Amino acid sequence: MRDRFDLGEDNATQAEVEASIYKGVEFRGTNLWVLICATFIASLGLNVNSTAVIIGAMLISPLMGPIMGIGLSIGINDFQLLKKSLRNFLWMFVVSIITSTVYFLISPYSSAQSELLARTSPTTYDVLIAFFGGVAGMLAQTRRDRTGTVISGVAIATALMPPLCTAGFGIASGEIMYVLGAFYLFIINTVFIALASYLMVIFLKYEKKTALDQAASKRMRRYVILFSVIILVPSMILTVNILRKTQFEANVDRYVTNVFQFNKTMLVDYDVRYRYEGRQSAVEVRLVGEPLSHNVIENASAQMAYYGLENTELIVRQADENERIDFSKIQHSYAEIIDEKNRTIARLEERLASVQPADTVAAGDISREMAHVADHVGRVSMSKHIFYDVQGVPTDTALVVTVRPDSLSQGAVEYDRIEGWLRTRLKTDNVIVYIEEGEE
């Protein structure tokens, strides 16, 4: 087991690792222009809600270099590298924010898509992703054969670029909460990638550039831990709130599905409001059909506690009251049902067509015509067969025609004549003709 988990086999030297990270910290020329292009691409992806475009932007962005440089410099007490990494990190941040803000100011699409909104509520899960991504990235940097696959995967998983672009969207649209949420997610990713890099340097026991006394070393470790905890605590609070909201919505779904089942009253839709505007949570249901009595509604409200919905207000909208019912939602719901039924009908018609005789010609017509084409024909049967391979996959179809000779006739049925006529008559080469033996 020790051999399997040993990191010393393909370990690069400290000088090689430092040279590689020093190169990635540089932020001028090509790196600067690549960052600007990556920011525009990520902003476009967020704007049009394209995950593939966002992933492409994360793959080409050079954001990981300065962050890993911060972790390495703290781990080996290289304060020159630390200043250089922080300076380039600040430049990187400013350029990305300005570029994304400019894009969203000129973009004709100003609505927040799901990919944008996903970057405004960071949680503890983002902390874990950043930390383990940083560990993987630093491990890749400390190997002799540095695989680009790992570095690219870390860039995608930790998602450094999208939060910066989301912050730019918030600035351009005046949405301060988007700015704060996206900025916090970016800080989480930055801090915990750097922390993971720092811990890997400590684990690998790299040589210190500057010797610090024991008190100074403890003070630095204390600062690192304190800063990490300060960043971590808000994400934990957000995570707890999100988990509670998710559980609440699941309870509401079970409650509405089980309780609002009536013969003459139909549930149109429902809205969930979890602790909205400083008030208690609420469930608003919209019904059509026969109105529910006050007692029935009171009974439905009393059942909320059994579904974990204590202190939740039930609001019932019925068509007979002077309440506004959004019939567009009803139409949309029925349209979806009709579309699904139409798709099912189309699939069934396609399957039916596959088992019908070729050109839907009746066997009776074929048999009457065959009597004038070939002699000695007594009885004809037709069917369309589907052929399967040994894995049970359909491979071909063919029209199988069985001809029985006339029992009173002594001559043979002309096989070639019948087969050629059927192929011409039915306009298909997939015809198989069997001639039965005459009756004794």
Side-chain angles (χ1 to χ4, degrees):
M1 293 298 292
R2 182 178 299 176
D3 290 340
R4 289 186 179 276
F5 288 95
D6 183 30
L7 293 175
E9 184 176 347
D10 61 339
N11 204 15
T13 65
Q14 180 176 339
E16 291 174 332
V17 175
E18 290 178 12
S20 175
I21 292 182
Y22 261 96
K23 186 178 179 181
V25 167
E26 286 291 342
F27 189 64
R28 61 177 70 248
T30 301
N31 277 358
L32 176 61
W33 284 106
V34 168
L35 177 66
I36 293 172
C37 293
T39 304
F40 271 116
I41 293 171
S43 299
L44 281 163
L46 290 168
N47 206 187
V48 301
N49 215 39
S50 172
T51 304
V53 174
I54 298 170
I55 290 174
M58 290 187 288
L59 282 171
I60 65 175
S61 68
L63 296 177
M64 288 288 292
I67 298 173
M68 299 185 78
I70 293 172
L72 174 66
S73 62
I74 296 174
I76 63 175
N77 298 338
D78 188 343
F79 299 111
Q80 287 299 117
L81 176 60
L82 178 60
K83 287 190 291 185
K84 184 177 183 179
S85 299
L86 289 173
R87 185 169 57 249
N88 285 308
F89 174 77
L90 181 61
W91 263 104
M92 172 190 71
F93 175 81
V94 171
V95 169
S96 298
I97 290 292
I98 292 175
T99 303
S100 60
T101 302
V102 169
Y103 168 79
F104 283 109
L105 283 173
I106 63 177
S107 172
Y109 301 104
S110 58
S111 59
Q113 305 291 339
S114 61
E115 287 288 350
L116 272 166
L117 295 175
R119 270 79 188 184
T120 59
S121 300
T123 67
T124 308
Y125 300 112
D126 296 295
V127 172
L128 296 174
I129 292 169
F131 178 78
F132 288 108
V135 171
M138 195 62 186
L139 277 174
Q141 287 286 0
T142 59
R143 302 304 94 191
R144 283 197 297 269
D145 54 340
R146 297 174 184 85
T147 58
T149 304
V150 176
I151 302 298
S152 301
V154 171
I156 295 172
T158 53
L160 288 162
M161 179 60 71
L164 290 176
C165 298
T166 302
F169 171 81
I171 295 172
S173 60
E175 295 285 351
I176 187 63
M177 295 306 297
Y178 287 4
V179 178
L180 295 177
F183 179 69
Y184 179 46
L185 176 56
F186 179 72
I187 291 298
I188 283 177
N189 289 337
T190 300
V191 168
F192 283 91
I193 290 172
L195 176 63
S197 302
Y198 165 77
L199 293 177
M200 284 302 302
V201 169
I202 299 300
F203 177 75
L204 294 172
K205 299 178 181 179
Y206 277 9
E207 182 182 349
K208 307 294 184 182
K209 293 291 184 180
T210 303
L212 298 178
D213 57 38
Q214 189 173 4
S217 297
K218 286 184 177 179
R219 191 161 53 249
M220 179 177 288
R221 286 195 295 270
R222 195 179 300 120
Y223 288 152
V224 170
I225 294 172
L226 179 62
F227 191 60
S228 301
V229 170
I230 291 173
I231 297 297
L232 176 63
V233 168
S235 70
M236 295 177 66
I237 296 172
L238 289 170
T239 301
V240 171
N241 287 335
I242 288 175
L243 291 176
R244 286 177 177 173
K245 182 179 179 181
T246 302
Q247 184 60 52
F248 176 80
E249 291 174 347
N251 291 342
V252 170
D253 186 63
R254 288 192 301 110
Y255 166 73
V256 172
T257 302
N258 294 333
V259 174
F260 285 87
Q261 296 290 332
F262 305 100
N263 293 329
K264 298 182 180 180
T265 305
M266 186 183 76
L267 174 70
V268 178
D269 68 340
Y270 65 92
D271 288 331
V272 179
R273 287 176 262 175
Y274 180 71
R275 295 180 181 176
Y276 64 104
E277 298 177 357
R279 293 180 285 176
Q280 69 180 122
S281 301
V283 178
E284 180 177 328
V285 298
R286 298 180 180 87
L287 308 173
V288 295
E290 185 176 294
L292 301 180
S293 66
H294 179 74
N295 290 337
V296 173
I297 295 174
E298 286 293 324
N299 180 58
S301 180
Q303 295 184 55
M304 300 184 81
Y306 296 104
Y307 292 89
L309 301 175
E310 300 87 352
N311 300 319
T312 301
E313 181 185 4
L314 175 63
I315 303 171
V316 179
R317 307 293 188 191
Q318 301 193 78
D320 71 320
E321 300 176 358
N322 294 323
E323 302 284 359
R324 181 184 176 188
I325 300 294
D326 189 356
F327 286 99
S328 65
K329 292 187 176 181
I330 303 176
Q331 293 172 348
H332 180 70
S333 177
Y334 278 117
E336 289 182 344
I337 295 173
I338 292 172
D339 288 343
E340 179 59 30
K341 288 186 177 295
N342 288 338
R343 287 192 291 269
T344 302
I345 291 171
R347 288 194 298 268
L348 293 174
E349 288 178 342
E350 184 178 349
R351 292 179 61 184
L352 180 62
S354 68
V355 298
Q356 287 178 335
D359 294 331
T360 62
V361 176
D365 295 338
I366 294 291
S367 62
R368 283 191 293 271
E369 295 174 16
M370 193 179 297
H372 300 283
V373 172
D375 296 329
H376 315 300
V377 174
R379 191 173 66 183
V380 179
S381 66
M382 299 174 57
S383 63
K384 192 165 188 177
H385 283 229
I386 303 175
F387 297 91
Y388 297 84
D389 60 18
V390 292
Q391 282 77 34
V393 178
T395 58
D396 199 3
T397 59
L399 183 68
V400 178
V401 180
T402 303
V403 179
R404 173 175 289 185
D406 186 357
S407 60
L408 300 178
S409 175
Q410 300 299 317
V413 176
E414 301 171 274
Y415 173 87
D416 293 337
R417 184 181 181 86
I418 291 175
E419 183 183 45
W421 172 74
L422 284 173
R423 290 181 176 180
T424 303
R425 175 68 173 77
L426 300 177
K427 299 178 182 179
T428 177
D429 290 333
N430 291 338
V431 177
I432 300 174
V433 178
Y434 291 106
I435 307 296
E436 293 184 1
E437 294 183 0
E439 295 182 353
E440 298 294 338

